[in-house]
Amino acid sequence: MKKIGVLTSGGDAPGMNAAIRAVVRKAIYHDVEVYGIKYGYQGLIEGNIEKMELGSVGDIIQRGGTKLYSARCEEFKTEKGQQKGIEQLKKHGIDGLVVIGGDGSFRGAEKLTEKGYPCIGVPGTIDNDIPGTDFTIGFDTALNTIIEAIDKIRDTATSHERTYVIEVMGRDAGDLALWAGLADGAETILVPERNEDFEDVVQRLKRGHERGKKHSIIIVAEGVGSGFDFGQRIKEATDLETRVTVLGHTQRGGSPTAADRVLASRLGAKAVDILISGKAGRMVGIQNNKLVDHDIIEVLDQKHSIDMEMYQLSQELSI
Ligand code: ADP
């Protein structure tokens, strides 16, 4: 393998830049040329490709977002779009590709591998919703952003004796809600993986209030539904003063935490190692703090789930 490409695709995540940096530097370390493809698969189809040097990735390890930009590209889901991408790769003499993104992006990588273009997936999404890895790049940063926000909301919640419903991201996964709830001692955590009985939530709130609790924090994962709708139901059922905050895209930005920078560096470098060793159609991940790689098709066939032991613990600690 003489030339490889790297792109970021789908939702951006803090730490993607650290992963790009690791891919570029590790490839050059192995005397392999690296090409950056801008705007994900859209840029691939359009030939938005340029050679990267050691200096191209200087001063980005600490930055959120992605230097290569990201995009969603419907055309790439079609046979014709994928062929256009392959033509561009051939034109630039690129032998293999590292795709940093979520499961949608991995489907694209799998399609290219099927058509003879070796790809390696690097899990980059704040949602932590990818099987085969304990953590995805961006999760830790988003989690810390949520914690910071909830700590602030807690101050005003106490001052005004309010109930706060906080909607967090995570798509169909409850990881951000669960981890944030545990880290912040939330009274109630609603995740899409579990069907919480509404009456139980109401009773818990009422019990807390009667015990003299000054405020309550309820975290709702976006996969469960609208925080505003839930807040309205709580207000009607309890008569407690209730406010809703949707944290939204603040969760996707910001300087990556040390944990995300280290994870991204390890995963990006591992992706290059296995790509140049001749492997294809793999996703790199981390399990029990060891780097691993799995067949991308197997990863896509599995369903991610939250850690049920952690969920149980969150229930036990919020009685
Ligand atoms: P994420 O990678 O964060 O899950 P998306 O699901 O939006 O984000 O996917 C990102 C991009 O990956 C899509 O815009 C599309 O270009 C490509 N993609 C998604 N699904 C497929 C598919 N089935 N086949 C080919 N490409 C796909």
Side-chain angles (χ1 to χ4, degrees):
M1 200 150 289
K2 294 268 180 288
K3 290 186 186 180
I4 66 167
V6 55
L7 61 78
T8 49
S9 161
D12 67 326
M16 278 184 164
N17 276 328
I20 296 167
R21 174 180 177 273
V23 170
V24 170
R25 298 258 166 110
K26 193 68 193 266
I28 294 172
Y29 172 83
H30 284 303
D31 282 330
V32 171
E33 286 184 19
V34 207
Y35 288 77
I37 298 153
K38 291 188 176 159
Y39 300 101
Y41 294 120
Q42 187 64 43
L44 177 61
I45 286 176
E46 292 165 0
N48 198 342
I49 300 173
E50 61 187 47
K51 189 158 182 246
M52 298 185 87
E53 309 290 351
L54 289 175
S56 317
V57 288
D59 200 27
I60 63 167
I61 196 166
Q62 78 281 22
R63 296 190 200 281
T66 157
K67 186 188 167 75
L68 289 174
Y69 305 100
S70 191
R72 293 205 160 85
C73 174
E74 279 306 305
E75 191 183 354
F76 199 73
K77 292 182 180 170
T78 66
E79 193 73 25
K80 219 173 130 209
Q82 291 153 22
Q83 278 308 333
K84 280 192 195 172
I86 288 177
E87 277 160 31
Q88 289 293 346
L89 288 167
K90 281 190 178 154
K91 197 172 128 192
H92 288 82
I94 296 170
D95 310 310
L97 193 61
V98 175
V99 171
I100 305 166
D103 60 344
S105 305
F106 289 173
R107 283 182 202 283
E110 198 278 307
K111 287 278 171 4
L112 287 177
T113 305
E114 223 175 76
K115 291 180 167 57
Y117 251 96
C119 292
I120 305 294
V122 176
T125 163
I126 65 165
D127 304 328
N128 211 40
D129 60 351
I130 309 224
T133 187
D134 295 342
F135 298 106
T136 57
I137 297 166
F139 173 69
D140 187 66
T141 307
L143 179 61
N144 279 284
T145 302
I146 294 170
I147 299 308
E148 206 185 320
I150 298 178
D151 285 349
K152 287 177 180 161
I153 287 170
R154 204 177 256 289
D155 290 344
T156 181
T158 316
S159 308
H160 290 277
E161 302 195 10
R162 281 174 184 156
T163 297
Y164 262 91
V165 173
I166 299 163
E167 184 192 307
V168 302
M169 281 183 159
R171 286 214 296 198
D172 296 328
D175 292 57
L176 278 174
L178 175 58
W179 282 68
L182 254 180
D184 231 307
E187 277 66 30
T188 300
I189 305 168
L190 298 180
V191 292
E193 292 86 348
R194 291 298 293 230
N195 228 341
E196 183 91 23
D197 183 48
F198 183 70
E199 200 41 45
D200 280 353
V201 176
V202 170
Q203 289 311 322
R204 203 175 318 146
L205 276 174
K206 284 186 174 164
R207 275 201 309 272
H209 196 69
E210 280 156 17
R211 229 173 54 223
K213 267 184 88 106
K214 295 277 182 236
H215 64 259
S216 291
I217 302 278
I218 301 173
I219 301 185
V220 181
E222 66 178 347
V224 171
S226 155
F228 283 107
D229 291 348
F230 192 79
Q232 188 60 33
R233 286 178 70 198
I234 290 288
K235 202 172 184 169
E236 283 163 13
T238 62
D239 231 11
L240 294 172
E241 202 180 340
T242 309
R243 292 284 190 278
V244 179
T245 303
V246 177
L247 294 180
H249 281 88
T250 55
Q251 296 161 92
R252 286 251 291 263
S255 175
T257 57
D260 268 331
R261 297 180 202 190
V262 171
L263 177 66
S265 301
R266 293 176 75 188
L267 293 181
K270 170 86 174 171
V272 172
D273 280 342
I274 67 171
L275 186 59
I276 61 181
S277 78
K279 285 191 185 179
R282 312 290 293 174
M283 180 201 85
V284 293
I286 191 154
Q287 287 176 316
N288 302 320
N289 204 24
K290 292 267 174 292
L291 295 177
V292 291
D293 61 287
H294 302 288
D295 188 309
I296 271 196
I297 299 175
E298 277 173 24
V299 168
L300 292 172
D301 282 347
Q302 286 169 40
K303 198 173 156 30
H304 167 81
S305 183
I306 50 164
D307 183 331
M308 285 304 169
E309 252 178 54
M310 266 179 66
Y311 180 79
Q312 182 58 32
L313 178 65
S314 75
Q315 297 280 90
E316 290 165 5
L317 299 186
S318 63
I319 43 172

